[in-house]
Amino acid sequence: MNGGAAGAGNEAAAPVQRDRFIPLRKSDIIDGLIAEGRLDAAGQARLRQLARMLGAIFHYQYFEELDRLREVYFYFDPELDPKACGPKACGPKACGPKACGPKAYGPAKDLEAAYRVLSEEFAGVLNDANFIEISHDEITRAFAERARVRVKIKAPVEDFRCVRMFRRGHHSETIEIPVWFGLRRRPLEVVVYDDVVMMVATKPDGATRADARKALVGARPGGQKIRGGAVLFKYFRHIARADLKALFPNVRVVMSLSDHLTLGVGALVGGVPILIKLASTLTVLFVVAGFYLGLIGSIHDNDFEQALAALSGLLALGAFALRQWGNFHRQSLIHQKQLTDNIYYRNVNNNSGIFNYIIGEAEEQDWKEALLAYYSLLMAGAPLAREALYPRVEELLARVFGVSADFEIDDALARLRRLDLLGETDGRLSVLPLADALARLDKEWNDFFGGAATGKPVS
């Protein structure tokens, strides 16, 4: 974390993985496809209807995913209130005064299985929403760089069981950073991630004595610390890659070498003259003190005046020390405010509140990919090989919408295949015509509620 401005100059030079994210509204995609003019009036109406039905089906399918995430997260929610939790909430094993907490949810192996389910389900939904997991190397590199957060900070990752970061969308920005102690400013190009989601798992209570002493995961109301074994989710927007380290829950500001030199030099300049003046009078102060304690028989006439002068010097030295201590804490608060200003206002959502958002983003990205793949195959006029479809969709995105994206062709084809909209003959792909596709989706939608009404399994 000591890279400073010089180290940050190469921040934008590192390669960044291409985004799968399609940053378009649903209405923009539908309007853009219709504006191509390749469909007649009836075809345009059917395409709009197909888009609506696809959205409804994906929304219904993801509803179960949302319920699963909420259910399994119950065991790891850091905001769980023990007073509001009873046997019905925690399950039959949770009776008693210690109803809530990790031990109330069954054996450790059950909690471990639940944690794996939560981690896998959450990462899967983020992948559907076209988030990319940030590699360990990228996070390590960010620890050696600085962007908007120009203070030195420390984030001890060893305090956590697991930390995972995911990002979606990126762009380059040019910011101005202070140099020469703030007297000048120079431009710096940085890579900025549009969306960042972080998953932080705390260590279970009592894992080791050292872990118990290190329970410095943030504080809850009333000074109560977040319980061990909890999982925190944080969602941020518009975060520079070099500022990833500032997102950790237990991050703290530490004084840099320049801060220590600035405060230390001032302390020496102001404190040394006081110490020199005191050196010659301190012995007199001890003599006078010994006289009043009966240890010395007599003192000179001017010893009392010199003792008062020495006492005044000690008081001045104490006041100076307090002032320097205040300057040190004031500088720490300034750094902490800078950190807070750059991170706090970029925090969009936390914990269980994230689920609704990422589920909505996942189903929307699925919808975009499926519709674009279907339209491209429909307009091809003849069956296409997968290798020919992939660049065709990316060309459509670039030509009609001005968007460059790494299109997830396999995911899109898998969704069309599950809906029986996709056919394959000799390795070449085709889709049902619009009228037949609408009939097929209508049957799929009716089967959802037909199965629910008759007791048949719905999937």
Side-chain angles (χ1 to χ4, degrees), residues 70-77 80 90 102 105 111 114 227 229-230:
R70 286 173 172 169
E71 184 69 21
V72 72
Y73 188 58
F74 175 83
Y75 305 115
F76 306 97
D77 190 346
L80 185 66
C90 294
Y105 305 127
L111 266 183
R227 61 180 176 85

Side-chain angles (χ1 to χ4, degrees), residues 242-315:
D243 292 339
L244 289 176
K245 59 185 176 295
L247 306 184
F248 284 79
N250 63 343
V251 66
R252 61 186 180 89
V253 174
V254 295
M255 301 294 283
S256 64
L257 177 61
S258 61
D259 292 325
H260 283 98
L261 288 175
T262 301
L263 295 174
V265 170
L268 289 174
V269 171
V272 168
I274 298 177
L275 290 174
I276 293 175
K277 292 180 181 178
L278 283 175
S280 60
T281 56
L282 280 177
T283 54
V284 179
L285 181 62
F286 289 128
V287 169
V288 173
F291 172 75
Y292 280 102
L293 292 175
L295 301 177
I296 298 177
S298 62
I299 58 175
H300 296 92
D301 295 337
N302 63 342
D303 286 345
F304 187 72
E305 296 178 359
Q306 293 181 14
L308 287 178
L311 185 60
S312 300
L314 285 175
L315 292 175

Side-chain angles (χ1 to χ4, degrees), residues 13-320:
V16 178
Q17 186 177 352
R18 194 178 175 204
D19 288 318
R20 306 189 312 246
F21 176 51
I22 302 175
L24 296 168
R25 297 181 303 172
K26 286 184 174 181
S27 57
D28 292 336
I29 291 180
I30 296 173
D31 292 342
L33 296 180
I34 289 176
E36 270 207 307
R38 304 180 67 180
L39 294 170
D40 57 20
Q44 293 175 11
R46 286 172 178 165
L47 182 65
R48 290 185 183 276
Q49 180 65 16
L50 180 91
R52 283 194 294 269
M53 295 189 72
L54 276 177
I57 289 171
F58 288 153
H59 183 71
Y60 182 87
Q61 291 174 338
Y62 269 104
F63 181 78
E64 285 189 12
E65 184 72 38
L66 178 59
D67 273 353
R68 283 197 299 271
L69 278 173
R70 286 173 172 169
E71 184 69 21
V72 72
Y73 188 58
F74 175 83
Y75 305 115
F76 306 97
D77 190 346
E79 300 303 323
L80 185 66
D81 185 2
K83 296 180 180 179
C85 182
K88 292 183 179 180
C90 294
K93 297 181 180 179
C95 300
K98 296 182 179 179
C100 291
K103 295 182 180 179
Y105 305 127
K109 63 180 182 180
D110 295 338
L111 266 183
E112 187 65 26
Y115 172 77
R116 287 197 302 270
V117 171
L118 174 64
S119 182
E120 291 169 4
E121 293 272 355
F122 189 73
V125 172
L126 285 175
N127 182 68
D128 290 341
N130 285 333
F131 278 82
I132 300 171
E133 184 161 9
I134 302 175
S135 67
H136 176 75
D137 291 340
E138 193 168 355
I139 296 176
T140 302
R141 185 167 64 249
F143 269 60
E145 300 169 342
R146 295 185 194 175
R148 292 187 178 92
V149 179
R150 305 303 302 170
V151 298
K152 184 181 179 182
I153 58 180
K154 183 178 182 180
V157 296
E158 65 275 5
D159 295 335
F160 301 105
R161 173 183 181 178
C162 177
V163 178
R164 300 177 71 180
M165 288 186 176
F166 304 82
R167 58 97 174 167
R168 187 179 72 174
H170 74 279
H171 63 277
S172 295
E173 282 188 12
T174 300
I175 62 175
E176 289 189 344
I177 60 171
V179 293
W180 293 102
F181 301 98
L183 298 177
R184 297 184 60 187
R185 305 181 73 85
R186 70 175 181 85
L188 172 68
E189 186 176 3
V190 296
V191 174
V192 177
Y193 296 147
D194 299 333
D195 300 277
V196 174
V197 172
M198 180 170 64
M199 174 182 174
V200 178
T202 66
K203 292 181 178 179
D205 284 330
T208 64
R209 290 183 179 272
D211 294 338
R213 289 195 301 268
K214 286 183 179 178
L216 30 88
V217 197
R220 298 178 69 183
Q224 185 180 9
K225 292 183 178 178
I226 295 177
R227 61 180 176 85
V231 178
L232 294 83
F233 295 111
K234 298 281 186 179
Y235 178 84
F236 300 92
R237 182 164 290 159
H238 206 69
I239 298 295
R241 184 179 65 191
D243 292 339
L244 289 176
K245 59 185 176 295
L247 306 184
F248 284 79
N250 63 343
V251 66
R252 61 186 180 89
V253 174
V254 295
M255 301 294 283
S256 64
L257 177 61
S258 61
D259 292 325
H260 283 98
L261 288 175
T262 301
L263 295 174
V265 170
L268 289 174
V269 171
V272 168
I274 298 177
L275 290 174
I276 293 175
K277 292 180 181 178
L278 283 175
S280 60
T281 56
L282 280 177
T283 54
V284 179
L285 181 62
F286 289 128
V287 169
V288 173
F291 172 75
Y292 280 102
L293 292 175
L295 301 177
I296 298 177
S298 62
I299 58 175
H300 296 92
D301 295 337
N302 63 342
D303 286 345
F304 187 72
E305 296 178 359
Q306 293 181 14
L308 287 178
L311 185 60
S312 300
L314 285 175
L315 292 175
L317 181 63
F320 177 78

